[in-house]
Structures are given as structure tokens and as C-alpha cells.
Amino acid sequence: MVRAAVLPAVGAPLEITEIDLPDPGPGQVRVRLAAAGVCHSDLSLSNGTMRVPVPAVLGHEGSGTVVAVGEGVAHLAPGDDVVLNWAPSCGNCHACSLGEVWLCADALSGSADVYARTAAGVDLHPGLNVAAFAEETVVAASCVLPLPDGVPLTDAALLGCAVLTGYGAVHHSARVRAGETVAVFGAGGVGLATLQAARIAGASTIVAVDVSPEKEDLARAAGATDFVVASADTAREIRALTGKQGVDVAVECVGRASTIRTAWDSTRRGGRTTVVGIGGKDQQVTFNALEIFHWGRTLSGCVYGNSDPARDLPVLAEHVRAGRLDLGALVTERIALEGIPAAFANMLAGKGGRALVTF
């Protein structure tokens, strides 16, 4: 029995309770969590913006230590420090055959499995495959990546989602080049990672945009050269900071129609707008045909930073070891399982960066 945060139904409060976690079966690994980040996607799963089988244990951004392996697992052993990968690629679908593993058709198939039970015997599903909001979890071996040397185990949880997403948005999706100008909309966990990634890429001007003026210090510490409080004048302010042209690249990390539209309006003619934020189906963004032609901008979605975790994790680790990437700077509070509901409330209120559950 281990303690976990259980979502009993969509829209219901999380319940901190003990669950019955089985030993790992063939091809599975049991991991003792060191930390789990509280991501906006977890909030979206809990409130129904994104679909998840319930009851479920949420949490998809985690790191920990292997405590047991099932039959057939040869690349991992008890005692190995690891990062959880919530979207493992199958290697067989059309997207994987194209090398676009972040779009794997079967990446989330494990979320429908029953992986544990409550003390009363109720079946539980692993939210986004890995169920990181628990002291321990059992996952497919494909959901586990060895942690490279030189990365603190607790902070390494952030590599599992926020950093892969933010770094990938800059380096894989928008492909920011040295000297370009960048605007990042939203200075939460993913936004702060995106700002650091833009700095690593050598962007000349990096504008952070957020509804909360209190986030300016966080944003500047992450690499922002300028900070704009979101308003109806945001696009005009960004153009004023970039010679009236607009930025080369805008990265939207909020998932709101109005913010996506503003990011588009803040991008120069011929520039790139990348949308990382996950919005609801009710968030409709409108463009007219003439402006699409006239501005010549590229608007693209970005899933998991268009990243291949197995390829990118060693690259990120090298940035950490070299001091270019500061994982701890993304964390604004370290909490216990009981603190997750308050962390959700802070996200809704636009407060703070990443909350990190530590065990």
C-alpha cells in the first residue's frame, strides 16, 4: 500500500488515500518517486478539459528510483535513478515511422489500463500512463528513462514535461536562431522553461508576457530581457520593443483563444507563432483569409515540445551540468501530496511557477 492523490471522478476533489500497488509484471518497472511536478495538464485532466479514464491517479512529470523490475526488463535495475516519460513512442505507427515520435498514435494507450486498486478494491487508471502523484508507481518500461549523471534527482522531475516542452518549443518547433527576437506568453512552469530555452538559443530580445506583474522577477531570472503585463495593448507594446516589427517568434504557453490571437498579432510579418498551451474546445481562434496571406506568418501547434525524450534528455542534462539550464529556478513551491489542490488553485489564479511534490 502506498499513498496517492486519487481523482475519483472528473470535476471531483482529489482524495489523498492509500492504494494497493501490485508488483511489476512482465515489461514493467516499479519506481519510488522522489518528486512530481504539478502541471497545468493535470488540472485540465481533473476538470474535464482533457479526457482521462477515472478513477485515476494523476501526475505525469516525475523522477525517482527503480525499486523492482518485471520479467524481460534488462536495461534497468533496482537502484537506478530515472525520469518518467508519460508519452512513450510505440515505434510502429505512421507518426513514429516518420520520426515524429511526439505524435505517436499509441502513446497514451496505457492510460486506459487498470494499474492499481483502492483499499476498497476499486480499479484505478494511471493518468497519462505514469500516475506520478503517488509515493510509488508501476509503469511500462518504455515509460522510464535513465537519469543522466549530474542532474539532481528531485529537480529532474521537471525534465519529464515542463522542460522538454519549453526547450522543444524553442529548439524543435519554432527553431529559434541566435539573434532572433522571442515573446513568451505565460510565465508558469512551461513558460519559464521556454524563456530559459530562448536564452540558451541566443535570442537577442526575449519578452515575457503574463497577467501577473508579480512574475516579472521570475521571468527576468529565467532570461527575459523585457516584461509586459498582459492587456489589450500587449501586441502594440511588443512591436514597440522590436522596432515596430513584432517578434520573430512568439510562443503561447497558456492555451487561451485570446492569448493565441495576441501571440499571432505580436509576430512579425513572416515570423513564427508556436502554440504550446492546451485549451478547451470552446476556445475558438478566428483569422480572416486576407491577413493569413498578407502577414505570411506560420502558426503551428506543438505537442510535448516536438521532442524525442530519449534523444533530448542527454542534451538537457548537459545544459544542466554546464549551468545553462537551472531546473530549481522553475520551482516556486515544494509541497506534499496534500498541497496539490492548492497548487491547482494557484495555477487558476495565475500565481507562481512550478509546484513540486516532494516525497
Side-chain angles (χ1 to χ4, degrees):
M1 304 293 287
V2 300
R3 295 176 71 245
V6 175
L7 178 70
V10 173
L14 292 180
E15 298 176 355
I16 311 302
T17 185
E18 288 194 334
I19 65 172
D20 185 5
L21 193 65
D23 293 331
Q28 292 185 321
V29 178
R30 182 164 177 148
V31 177
R32 179 181 299 116
L33 273 297
V38 183
C39 179
H40 203 281
S41 295
D42 296 308
L43 175 61
S44 296
L45 290 167
S46 72
N47 64 23
T49 299
M50 297 169 62
R51 300 173 70 176
V52 62
V54 290
V57 175
L58 302 182
H60 61 279
E61 183 182 81
S63 59
T65 302
V66 174
V67 294
V69 299
E71 180 183 350
V73 178
H75 68 291
L76 295 164
D80 288 349
D81 290 337
V82 296
V83 175
L84 298 180
N85 172 18
W86 61 270
S89 57
C90 70
N92 299 314
C93 69
H94 182 64
C96 287
S97 73
L98 297 174
E100 299 173 350
V101 297
W102 53 91
L103 299 178
C104 176
D106 297 318
L108 296 179
S109 60
S111 296
D113 295 342
V114 172
Y115 94 113
R117 289 177 173 79
T118 67
V122 177
D123 291 346
L124 291 172
H125 302 280
L128 293 186
N129 286 325
V130 297
F133 287 165
E135 294 171 331
E136 296 186 13
T137 188
V138 172
V139 299
S142 58
C143 291
V144 179
L145 296 169
L147 176 64
D149 294 336
V151 181
L153 178 59
T154 300
D155 291 347
L158 302 169
L159 296 173
C161 185
V163 178
L164 273 171
T165 299
Y167 182 88
V170 167
H171 291 266
H172 302 323
S173 180
R175 300 186 180 183
V176 175
R177 299 180 291 269
E180 288 193 310
T181 55
V182 176
V184 177
F185 289 77
V190 172
L192 292 173
T194 304
L195 289 168
Q196 289 204 39
R199 173 176 47 76
I200 291 170
S204 57
T205 298
I206 305 173
V207 184
V209 182
D210 200 276
V211 295
S212 173
E214 288 75 23
K215 289 191 179 181
E216 180 171 0
D217 289 344
L218 277 174
R220 289 188 180 275
T225 60
D226 299 273
F227 184 85
V228 172
V229 178
S231 72
D233 293 326
T234 294
R236 184 171 60 185
E237 290 182 58
I238 290 175
R239 287 195 295 271
L241 291 169
T242 53
K244 299 184 179 180
Q245 297 301 310
V247 289
D248 297 302
V249 171
V251 182
E252 199 274 358
C253 303
V254 181
R256 188 174 298 127
S258 59
T259 315
I260 294 170
R261 179 70 221 200
T262 302
W264 167 269
D265 290 337
S266 302
T267 305
R268 69 165 174 84
R269 195 175 188 189
R272 291 101 70 199
T273 305
T274 294
V275 179
V276 174
I278 301 173
K281 293 180 179 179
D282 60 324
Q283 295 290 312
Q284 299 291 316
V285 188
T286 303
F287 307 93
N288 67 61
L290 180 60
E291 69 174 306
I292 292 174
F293 160 78
H294 172 76
W295 290 104
R297 297 165 175 147
T298 300
L299 176 67
S300 62
C302 178
V303 178
Y304 204 6
N306 291 11
S307 294
D308 178 346
R311 175 199 64 197
D312 292 333
L313 192 59
V315 175
L316 294 173
E318 178 55 33
H319 285 309
V320 173
R321 288 191 293 265
R324 294 184 291 267
L325 179 59
D326 185 353
L327 300 177
L330 306 180
V331 181
T332 51
E333 58 176 341
R334 296 174 188 264
I335 61 176
L337 284 171
E338 289 81 1
I340 296 173
F344 281 174
N346 284 338
M347 278 192 286
L348 284 171
K351 297 180 180 178
R354 198 50 130 215
L356 192 66
V357 180
T358 56
F359 297 93

